[in-house]
Coordinates of all heavy atoms in Angstrom, one line a residue:
C31 N 5.8 -6.4 -5.7 CA 5.6 -6.7 -4.2 C 7.0 -6.5 -3.5 O 7.0 -5.7 -2.6 CB 5.2 -8.2 -4.2 SG 5.1 -8.7 -2.4
R55 N 5.7 1.5 -5.7 CA 5.8 0.8 -4.5 C 6.9 -0.3 -4.7 O 7.2 -0.7 -5.8 CB 4.5 0.1 -4.1 CG 3.9 -1.0 -5.1 CD 3.1 -2.0 -4.5 NE 4.0 -3.0 -3.7 CZ 3.6 -3.6 -2.6 NH1 2.4 -3.4 -2.1 NH2 4.5 -4.4 -2.0
K60 N 10.4 -7.4 3.9 CA 9.1 -8.1 3.6 C 8.6 -8.9 4.8 O 9.4 -9.8 5.3 CB 9.3 -9.0 2.4 CG 9.6 -8.3 1.1 CD 8.5 -7.4 0.7 CE 7.2 -8.0 0.5 NZ 6.1 -7.0 0.2
H201 N -3.5 -7.6 -2.8 CA -3.5 -8.4 -1.5 C -5.0 -8.7 -1.2 O -5.3 -9.8 -0.5 CB -2.8 -7.7 -0.4 CG -1.3 -7.6 -0.6 ND1 -0.8 -6.6 -1.3 CD2 -0.4 -8.5 -0.3 CE1 0.5 -6.8 -1.4 NE2 0.8 -7.9 -0.8
E227 N 0.1 -4.4 -7.4 CA 1.4 -5.0 -7.7 C 1.6 -5.3 -9.1 O 0.8 -6.0 -9.8 CB 1.5 -6.3 -6.8 CG 1.7 -6.0 -5.3 CD 1.9 -7.2 -4.4 OE1 1.5 -8.3 -4.8 OE2 2.4 -7.0 -3.3
D238 N 4.4 -13.1 -4.1 CA 3.1 -12.7 -4.5 C 2.8 -12.7 -6.0 O 2.1 -11.9 -6.6 CB 2.7 -11.4 -4.0 CG 2.3 -11.4 -2.5 OD1 2.2 -12.6 -1.9 OD2 2.2 -10.3 -1.8
Q241 N -0.9 -12.7 -7.7 CA -1.7 -11.5 -7.6 C -1.1 -10.3 -8.3 O -1.6 -9.2 -8.3 CB -2.0 -11.2 -6.2 CG -0.8 -10.7 -5.4 CD -1.0 -10.7 -3.9 OE1 -1.7 -11.5 -3.3 NE2 -0.4 -9.6 -3.3
Ligands
MN2 MN1 2.8 -8.5 -1.9

Side-chain angles (χ1 to χ4, degrees):
C31 179
R55 63 150 288 145
K60 293 302 302 176
H201 294 89
E227 289 184 336
D238 285 349
Q241 66 192 39

